[in-house]
Amino acid sequence: MTNNRSGRGKSRRNTATATPVPGKQHNKIMQVKKERELEKSRVGTGNKMLQVERRNGNSNGNTDGNVNDSDRKKRGIGQDSHRSSNGGRSQEAFNRNRSSAQYLDLPVQKNDEVVIDIIGMNHDGEGVGRVEGFTLFVPGALPGEKVRVKVLKTKKQYGYAKLLDIAQASPDRIAAPCAIYDQCGGCQLQHMSYEAQLGWKRQHVVDVLERIGKLSVATESSEHTAEILAASADTDGEADTVTTSDSAMNADGNADSMSRVQGVLVHPTLGMSEPWRYRNKAQVPIGVTEGGLVGGFYARGSHRIVDMNTCLIQDERNDEVVARVKEIGRMLGISAYNEETGRGLLRHVVVKTAFRTGEMMLVLVTNGRDIPHADAWIGSIREHIPHVASICQNVNTKRTNVIFGDETRVLWGRHVIYDYIGNVQFAISARSFYQVNPVQTEVLYNKTVEYAGLTGKETVIDAYCGIGTISLFLAQHADQVYGVEIVKEAIDDARSNALLNEMRNVKFEVGASEDVIPAWKEQGITADVIVVDPPRKGCDPRLLDTILEMKPGRVVYVSCNPSTLARDLRILEDGGYSTVEVQPVDMFPHTVHVESVALLVRKD
């Protein structure tokens, strides 16, 4: 795989060539030169005008010469009425032309067509190419390809281009099997072979660890895991007394052979044997066309709903329920919510499927409490979809993009469905968070338990515990587990799940981790292992400070965002920890998302 080292805003010159379409580029350059010379004279005139304003005392204390809104009101200056001495142009037009003049020296301009080599792929799955050192992001292009593109937009250091033709295709390119792949924004990598996706995801993790985390990544990542793990606890069983290099030395006593594993081990991405139909939850926005209700996914970069009947990464049963709800809604004349007007009833259809038990939950998210023909709707769903064990309504009347509102009620059946991850049973409610890929979730959690290195004697703290999924996995192998989560409803679910599994060595508390964990410490509770599974923004800085003050022997970091993982690992490294290894896990095949589990041990 080509290294992905080109982030947004970078404009390093590269040996990759860019071939202009004959005739157009030369003419464009000549035109740009003429416009630049003309603009210089205009900008000079404008600067003189501003200087005169300052000398005449008209700046009203605005020392940089800009006119603010209050000044405009006092002086009677309107956006369209202000005429200056520079040829009668408005100040707005003058500022716009001065701004655009900053980019006239770029090697490409909007609407140019060029042929470029794709040298990498960014975190959004866009191909990265360069024209004379200027970076272009090209959706749909793959590393190693030569493509013809049309420039859509330019900024100071990078721009965006549309893929027109592929002059030389990557061996990793395949035909996307989804019929609406080019329209839908749900997947980004279906045009890339699955093996290549796994390779790119590992490389993405490596790149951010090196660039953001300033970490040294080992050149070998698959042969010495057991040695590092076995040696991360010394002969007295204390896991916090070994550094990475000491672990390697203790594994077999051979310094020469162990020099191969200096740095952080980043393993090959753990993928799926069948990377399709893996999602157990569908959240489908509902809209309306002349034909009635439509539901699917938002088109790329918009809130325009693409109607669909099947999604290749959704469980087939989810597709069936959504299709039935749309059909019933059309038949009963149910209105769809309109984001612009705030009117209409049905906003989203949410379907949850338990892979192990087969139970299903349907949630109708509505803009109001009253549902016309509710009995007919429920009766038809029960008749045609017998696996549905719960039909709920969530009321959301706010003008927001957030899916769920505050009120949820059961229309028919139970308020929860049940599923298993490994040997642990979970009750899943309408609003509770539950991993959408249960097959890979078990892989992820098993790796978390492995990195925690539990022997049955340890005290573990699970920050960001949610409904207790990781906590209950850990509780099977630890002496005591403490889980903390800021969302009260999630803690209620976590406590219920602990009772459901008859696990009495788990305690859950509501609050921010950075507040609750220090309080626990004052009560004499100290952790041998701290596990964190934060949202995409990463750990709260105060939580990281708390970890460094508590000094657990191991920290296991479960991450859904490699960039914030790398940032937080750097902070923990500077605070006395050593990152031993990182395991990427493909929770979301055919998308750019990648989860990772990182193991850190105390250096001292």
Side-chain angles (χ1 to χ4, degrees), residues 537-568:
K537 66 180 181 179
C539 290
D540 186 281
R542 290 194 297 147
L543 173 58
L544 295 175
D545 291 340
T546 299
I547 293 173
L548 296 178
E549 291 174 6
M550 185 167 276
K551 297 181 180 180
R554 292 189 180 201
V555 175
V556 182
Y557 194 129
V558 182
S559 167
C560 61
N561 185 343
S563 296
T564 52
L565 168 67
R567 179 201 67 196
D568 292 347

Side-chain angles (χ1 to χ4, degrees), residues 39 43 89 91-106 109 154-156:
E39 194 62 35
V43 172
R89 293 184 300 132
Q91 183 67 38
E92 179 188 15
F94 165 70
N95 289 337
R96 184 170 61 247
N97 287 335
R98 181 173 63 176
S99 176
S100 63
Q102 297 174 358
Y103 304 138
L104 289 176
D105 59 347
L106 297 179
Q109 299 293 320
T154 59
K155 293 183 178 293
K156 186 176 181 180

Side-chain angles (χ1 to χ4, degrees), residues 42-53:
R42 288 177 176 172
V43 172
T45 302
N47 288 337
K48 290 178 182 178
M49 181 265 294
L50 291 174
Q51 291 169 4
V52 170
E53 276 198 349

Side-chain angles (χ1 to χ4, degrees), residues 318-379:
N318 292 351
D319 286 342
E320 181 184 359
V321 173
V322 172
R324 179 64 59 182
V325 169
K326 289 191 294 183
E327 178 183 332
I328 297 170
R330 294 178 188 129
M331 180 178 64
L332 298 178
I334 300 298
S335 61
Y337 177 72
N338 186 306
E339 286 186 342
E340 295 181 359
T341 65
R343 297 179 179 177
L345 179 65
L346 190 57
R347 299 176 67 128
H348 279 79
V349 174
V350 178
V351 186
K352 299 184 177 184
T353 298
F355 276 25
R356 187 82 67 86
T357 65
E359 294 181 345
M360 302 184 71
M361 170 182 284
L362 167 63
V363 185
L364 303 174
V365 183
T366 59
N367 180 38
R369 212 169 188 274
D370 295 331
I371 300 179
H373 315 292
D375 292 339
W377 204 333
I378 293 169

Side-chain angles (χ1 to χ4, degrees), residues 34-233:
K34 291 179 181 179
E35 291 177 355
R36 186 164 59 227
E37 292 300 320
L38 178 61
E39 194 62 35
K40 284 181 179 178
S41 64
R42 288 177 176 172
V43 172
T45 302
N47 288 337
K48 290 178 182 178
M49 181 265 294
L50 291 174
Q51 291 169 4
V52 170
E53 276 198 349
R54 294 192 189 100
R55 286 199 298 270
N56 290 339
N58 291 333
S59 64
N60 289 316
N62 191 359
T63 57
D64 64 358
N66 296 324
V67 182
N68 59 35
D69 292 338
S70 60
D71 293 334
R72 290 182 183 276
K73 292 178 182 178
K74 291 177 183 177
R75 295 160 58 185
I77 299 175
Q79 189 176 33
D80 298 322
S81 63
H82 180 210
R83 300 292 176 181
S84 70
S85 60
N86 58 341
R89 293 184 300 132
S90 68
Q91 183 67 38
E92 179 188 15
F94 165 70
N95 289 337
R96 184 170 61 247
N97 287 335
R98 181 173 63 176
S99 176
S100 63
Q102 297 174 358
Y103 304 138
L104 289 176
D105 59 347
L106 297 179
V108 291
Q109 299 293 320
K110 183 178 179 180
N111 294 325
D112 281 357
E113 294 183 10
V114 292
V115 176
I116 59 176
D117 292 328
I118 302 300
I119 59 174
M121 197 162 69
N122 69 3
H123 64 280
D124 289 324
E126 299 165 334
V128 179
R130 294 203 176 103
V131 181
E132 299 179 21
F134 181 75
T135 299
L136 286 176
F137 297 108
V138 187
L142 294 177
E145 294 186 328
K146 184 183 291 291
V147 297
R148 184 169 67 91
V149 303
K150 181 178 181 179
V151 179
L152 300 179
K153 181 169 62 176
T154 59
K155 293 183 178 293
K156 186 176 181 180
Q157 292 181 302
Y158 62 90
Y160 294 92
K162 177 182 179 181
L163 177 63
L164 298 178
D165 296 308
I166 301 174
Q168 179 179 325
S170 165
D172 297 324
R173 178 174 289 278
I174 61 172
C178 178
I180 60 171
Y181 173 62
D182 292 336
Q183 305 171 57
C184 177
C187 297
Q188 302 84 36
L189 300 179
Q190 281 194 20
H191 61 296
M192 191 180 204
S193 71
Y194 188 55
E195 182 180 1
Q197 290 180 35
L198 297 179
W200 174 77
K201 290 184 178 185
R202 177 189 180 273
Q203 188 61 50
H204 177 44
V205 173
V206 169
D207 289 343
V208 295
L209 291 179
E210 292 179 335
R211 187 179 70 251
I212 298 175
K214 309 301 180 186
L215 295 170
S216 174
V217 175
T219 56
E220 293 187 11
S221 61
S222 59
E223 296 180 1
H224 304 288
T225 308
E227 298 170 356
I228 293 290
L229 283 173
S232 63

Side-chain angles (χ1 to χ4, degrees), residues 257-477:
S257 64
M258 287 301 99
S259 64
R260 293 177 296 173
V261 295
Q262 295 299 308
V264 181
L265 295 170
V266 180
H267 300 290
T269 308
L270 295 176
M272 302 186 70
S273 58
E274 180 50 57
W276 300 101
R277 299 292 187 180
Y278 59 83
R279 288 186 62 92
N280 61 9
K281 180 176 72 172
Q283 297 182 148
V284 179
I286 300 298
V288 65
T289 65
E290 294 180 359
L293 290 182
V294 296
F297 287 92
Y298 292 119
R300 295 181 190 272
S302 77
H303 264 223
R304 179 176 61 85
I305 297 175
V306 178
D307 195 28
M308 53 165 288
N309 294 319
T310 186
C311 174
L312 297 182
I313 63 173
Q314 284 287 350
D315 186 276
E316 294 96 329
R317 292 166 290 184
N318 292 351
D319 286 342
E320 181 184 359
V321 173
V322 172
R324 179 64 59 182
V325 169
K326 289 191 294 183
E327 178 183 332
I328 297 170
R330 294 178 188 129
M331 180 178 64
L332 298 178
I334 300 298
S335 61
Y337 177 72
N338 186 306
E339 286 186 342
E340 295 181 359
T341 65
R343 297 179 179 177
L345 179 65
L346 190 57
R347 299 176 67 128
H348 279 79
V349 174
V350 178
V351 186
K352 299 184 177 184
T353 298
F355 276 25
R356 187 82 67 86
T357 65
E359 294 181 345
M360 302 184 71
M361 170 182 284
L362 167 63
V363 185
L364 303 174
V365 183
T366 59
N367 180 38
R369 212 169 188 274
D370 295 331
I371 300 179
H373 315 292
D375 292 339
W377 204 333
I378 293 169
S380 181
I381 291 171
R382 291 182 59 193
E383 177 184 354
H384 292 93
I385 311 171
H387 291 297
V388 172
S390 172
I391 302 176
C392 299
Q393 178 192 13
N394 177 266
V395 181
N396 184 1
T397 59
K398 298 178 181 178
R399 299 287 290 269
T400 175
N401 290 331
V402 177
I403 294 176
F404 287 114
D406 296 329
E407 180 187 1
T408 302
R409 60 178 184 145
V410 177
L411 299 178
W412 176 84
R414 300 195 304 261
H415 73 286
V416 297
I417 59 174
Y418 296 97
D419 200 9
Y420 288 84
I421 300 177
N423 297 321
V424 183
Q425 187 178 21
F426 294 95
I428 306 163
S429 63
R431 295 181 59 193
S432 63
F433 172 79
Y434 188 71
Q435 290 280 8
V436 300
N437 186 337
V439 174
Q440 290 296 87
T441 296
E442 187 168 354
V443 173
L444 185 75
Y445 288 178
N446 283 336
K447 183 58 64 172
T448 302
V449 171
E450 175 188 333
Y451 280 1
L454 302 177
T455 64
K457 302 178 181 179
E458 294 81 8
T459 297
V460 183
I461 290 178
D462 178 14
Y464 306 102
C465 70
I467 66 170
T469 48
I470 292 180
S471 299
L472 299 181
F473 246 65
L474 294 166
Q476 299 174 99
H477 309 278

